[in-house]
Amino acid sequence: MTDPGVPASVRDTPRIVTRRQGLIGAALLGTAAVIGACSSSPTPDSPTGAAPSPSPADVVVADERALIALYDETIATLPSLRTALQPLRDQHVEHIAALTGAAPDPGPAASSAGPSAAGSSTADPKAAVQALIAAERAAMRQRIDACVVAPSPEVARTLAFIAASEGSHIPALKDVPV
Amino acid sequence: MTPSEALAAVVSGEDAAIFGYSVAGAHLADGGRRRALTGLDAHRANRDRAAADLVAASATPPPPAPAYELPADVDSAAAARALMALVDNRLVGLYADAAAATTDADRRWAARTGAECAMRAVIWGAPPQAFPTGSVQ
């Protein structure tokens, strides 16, 4: 996996291209439509009762909630990291919404999360960010595994996007100044 | 979308990425240049893998386009990084399509490779996204 350190020189591009909608080969067109289809097509498997064995999407939803709890606990313990961590935390809320078809529920404010939510937060910023990196890496791998056994192509597509998002959180977290 | 259609889109997308990385890499020095070359190698390997899958399925891989239109002038290191971030993020959607259209080992490869593209995009300076896409912001 390409995952080198991120020197500061790479990070001084504030935004990707800000020109008109540009094309780099027709083959790269149409991804926005893919996203639209993905986020507007709720997955069919969100049972309300107890299922004999949880579907891959159900396992991912539970895991996403645990990730959100870890972010909330970290932000509650280390408020100075909120600016860096909150956007990443909120993307996991969007992952749950895409998997369940429900509107994004931002959940409780981070400040209300007790220190027992995930049980592994630390007051050391460097260690806390490392814990989040490890959690995101494990999440990415689990999403890839879940993608392989997804019950439908649509769920597989959604899980592939979620794996990509969580993979992209790793270099973002490595760039958090701690 | 059939597996062959999805893999053909990956081949074309990777050809575009190879072009973009080749243009962009010339504007970077030192670590940035090395990282661009590593990414270029990855995109070539990805293109070759998708093309080989097509051949194995008795399909013909699409040829590279005769020319590619860049979304912006690439005349600085910052523009070069933005271009690579854009092509990598756009590939994520093509790999998600490929993951949806394929199964088993091909699906795993597509999901993993899409994640690698999203990671590179952020390393090049793109903001992380809940559903990475290469729309121009």
Side-chain angles (χ1 to χ4, degrees):
Chain A
M1 176 103 9
T2 305
D3 186 16
V6 185
S9 63
V10 175
R11 302 291 306 165
D12 58 12
T13 306
R15 283 279 165 185
I16 57 177
V17 186
T18 55
R19 301 284 184 84
R20 63 185 169 77
Q21 181 82 29
L23 313 181
I24 304 178
L28 290 190
L29 289 173
T31 50
V34 171
I35 301 286
C38 147
S39 56
S40 64
S41 304
T43 61
D45 45 346
S46 49
T48 52
S53 71
S55 74
D58 291 336
V59 173
V60 171
V61 167
D63 202 42
E64 291 285 335
R65 292 203 172 101
L67 264 176
I68 291 167
L70 180 59
Y71 272 94
D72 284 344
E73 187 185 5
T74 303
I75 291 169
T77 306
L78 297 160
S80 65
L81 296 181
R82 175 188 297 275
T83 302
L85 299 185
Q86 188 78 33
L88 302 178
R89 181 262 191 212
D90 290 346
Q91 289 180 10
H92 294 292
V93 176
E94 294 186 54
H95 296 162
I96 291 175
L99 288 166
T100 61
D105 175 6
S111 57
S112 71
S116 61
S120 58
S121 189
T122 166
D124 172 18
K126 195 177 289 282
V129 170
Q130 284 300 321
L132 287 169
I133 289 171
E136 293 279 12
R137 191 184 305 280
M140 173 189 69
R141 291 173 174 162
Q142 194 279 333
R143 304 315 175 248
I144 292 170
D145 289 342
C147 176
V148 173
V149 297
S152 73
E154 267 311 309
V155 175
R157 178 187 281 109
T158 301
L159 289 169
F161 272 118
I162 293 173
S165 173
E166 289 167 349
S168 80
H169 288 183
I170 296 169
L173 286 164
K174 287 182 175 177
D175 206 35
V176 172
V178 289
Chain B
M1 185 177 285
T2 68
S4 290
E5 288 169 345
L7 291 169
V10 164
V11 169
S12 294
E14 289 287 10
D15 274 326
I18 289 164
F19 173 80
Y21 263 71
S22 300
V23 169
H27 292 274
L28 298 177
D30 303 327
R33 170 75 65 91
R34 284 192 294 275
R35 189 171 298 111
L37 290 173
T38 300
L40 181 59
D41 285 344
H43 286 302
R44 285 188 174 127
N46 296 341
R47 188 266 316 270
D48 291 348
R49 155 97 196 226
D53 280 354
L54 283 171
V55 170
S58 301
T60 303
Y68 294 94
E69 182 185 355
L70 295 172
D73 292 337
V74 180
D75 52 7
S76 67
R81 288 192 287 271
L83 175 62
M84 290 184 283
L86 180 64
V87 297
D88 269 313
N89 262 339
R90 284 187 173 176
L91 281 168
V92 176
L94 298 181
Y95 279 108
D97 280 347
T102 58
T103 57
D104 302 328
D106 283 340
R107 177 178 284 181
R108 179 177 295 280
W109 172 76
R112 192 182 67 235
T113 308
E116 290 169 355
C117 290
M119 294 169 81
R120 270 193 299 270
V122 168
I123 288 171
W124 289 123
Q129 301 171 72
F131 293 88
T133 177
S135 58
V136 179
Q137 301 185 2

